Amino acid sequence: MIKLFRKIRKELWVDNKATSSAGRLGRYVIYAAGEILLIVIGILIALNLNNWNERRKAEALELEYLQRIYTDLKADTRYFEDQIKECDKVIRSNYQAIHEAYKEQKTQEEYSRLIDLYTHRTENLVVQNSTYLELNNSGKLRVFQNRGIKDSLIALNRDYEYAAARIKEFNDFHANIISSLKDYPRKYSKERAFIFDEPHMFDPSEWEYINEPTSQAFKDQEWAATMYLVKHREAKELHKTLLKKIGFLTQEIEAELNERKR
């Protein structure tokens, strides 16, 4: 089209030499209008090319972040699956410890086996949300054209924050309980056996409380195990809920990525 206008302009210029002044004025106006039209067309083409280029960059950036979020969600899926299994393990172990404690522990070895059933593992929530934090802190969440994905991602990370705060609360509460158990002989556990490795380092009076369910030491230890079991039951439900939401968002992103490949 630009070539056509240039040809017309050239013809007008040639014809302009052979016409009267009035005719030349009219042709000059047409010529000037043609020049302006050419400039406007050039600007519009440049703007369209620039917009097209910007859209390509935005789509490429969105695709990159979708893939990164997808990778993070896959990692979180494995993490929460492992956490659920760990919660089940802790629940079973402490349940068994609470019930075994009501049986007579005749020897130090029997007591040590009982102590090892009490699982006091503590871990705060650790998720792969670095990509989300990058998007949120830089104001790039708007890069997602799919509003559903954006909203689900924001909601999931809010749930992450709630679960993290709740689990930390559990852990702090339990740490306070454990630290208050002055009569709890931790040195009888396997993990400390390499320190207390001489017979004279043990005294039956340290563990005989376990055969007295009415003693305060027994009740305190039972309370700690009970609360730890309850904590992991609630943590397990939090993990299961988050796992479902992760699965939903993962499916949304998979559908979006498949759509982009078409």
Side-chain angles (χ1 to χ4, degrees):
M1 181 177 288
I2 293 177
K3 289 182 178 181
L4 176 62
F5 278 107
R6 284 177 177 172
K7 182 179 179 181
I8 294 172
R9 184 181 62 178
K10 184 177 180 181
E11 291 175 353
L12 288 171
W13 179 259
V14 173
D15 292 343
N16 188 49
K17 295 179 179 180
T19 57
S20 64
S21 59
R24 284 197 299 270
L25 179 60
R27 289 180 179 274
Y28 178 76
V29 172
I30 295 174
Y31 173 80
E35 287 288 329
I36 294 172
L37 185 58
L38 282 174
I39 293 172
V40 171
I41 291 173
I43 292 173
L44 291 175
I45 291 174
L47 287 174
N48 284 332
L49 286 173
N50 183 65
N51 291 338
W52 177 76
N53 190 45
E54 289 300 319
R55 283 196 299 270
R56 284 188 61 191
K57 289 181 180 179
E59 289 174 359
L61 184 63
E62 181 187 16
L63 184 60
E64 176 189 343
Y65 278 119
L66 281 172
Q67 291 171 334
R68 286 175 58 183
I69 291 292
Y70 183 79
T71 300
D72 289 349
L73 292 175
K74 284 296 185 181
D76 284 342
T77 296
R78 294 189 293 271
Y79 170 74
F80 283 113
E81 287 174 346
D82 290 341
Q83 288 300 303
I84 290 171
K85 292 177 183 178
E86 185 65 24
C87 285
D88 283 334
K89 179 181 177 182
V90 170
I91 292 169
R92 288 194 301 270
S93 183
N94 280 281
Y95 179 88
Q96 184 179 356
I98 291 170
H99 285 75
E100 288 293 326
Y102 281 89
K103 299 178 182 178
E104 183 180 5
Q105 311 299 313
K106 298 178 180 179
T107 65
Q108 176 185 312
E109 289 73 20
E110 289 181 349
Y111 175 74
S112 293
R113 285 194 293 272
L114 173 65
I115 288 299
D116 287 326
L117 288 174
Y118 290 102
T119 306
H120 299 295
R121 169 185 168 276
T122 297
E123 178 183 328
N124 290 328
L125 194 68
V126 181
V127 295
Q128 297 294 329
N129 64 343
S130 58
T131 303
Y132 170 79
L133 292 176
E134 178 184 330
L135 285 164
N136 189 48
N137 294 336
S138 63
K140 291 181 180 178
L141 279 170
R142 62 180 179 274
V143 74
F144 295 120
Q145 299 178 33
N146 188 320
R147 183 63 181 269
I149 289 178
K150 177 183 174 181
D151 291 345
S152 295
L153 181 60
I154 293 172
L156 176 62
N157 278 272
R158 285 175 180 167
D159 290 336
Y160 278 174
E161 291 176 1
Y162 169 78
R166 188 71 178 135
I167 290 174
K168 185 179 185 303
E169 183 182 339
F170 291 155
N171 292 340
D172 292 345
F173 177 73
H174 190 72
N176 290 333
I177 292 178
I178 293 298
S179 64
S180 68
L181 298 181
K182 298 178 181 178
D183 297 327
Y184 179 47
R186 299 174 180 83
K187 69 180 183 181
Y188 285 84
S189 63
K190 289 181 181 178
E191 64 182 12
R192 295 176 175 82
F194 73 98
I195 303 173
F196 304 98
D197 55 359
E198 297 292 338
H200 67 272
M201 302 176 79
F202 299 98
D203 183 350
S205 64
E206 293 179 321
W207 59 269
E208 287 179 343
Y209 74 91
I210 200 66
N211 291 320
E212 299 177 18
T214 58
S215 68
Q216 191 61 48
F218 183 99
K219 292 178 180 179
D220 288 344
Q221 185 169 309
E222 182 180 59
W223 171 248
T226 300
M227 293 308 299
Y228 206 62
L229 188 157
V230 170
K231 161 200 161 179
H232 278 78
R233 286 189 66 182
E234 185 166 344
K236 177 183 175 181
E237 292 305 312
L238 286 172
H239 295 153
K240 287 170 65 177
T241 299
L242 289 172
L243 194 57
K244 289 180 181 179
K245 293 184 177 181
I246 289 170
F248 176 75
L249 180 53
T250 300
Q251 289 178 352
E252 282 189 296
I253 293 178
E254 284 178 345
E256 184 68 18
L257 292 173
N258 291 332
E259 184 67 24
R260 297 297 180 89
K261 293 177 182 179
R262 295 178 182 177

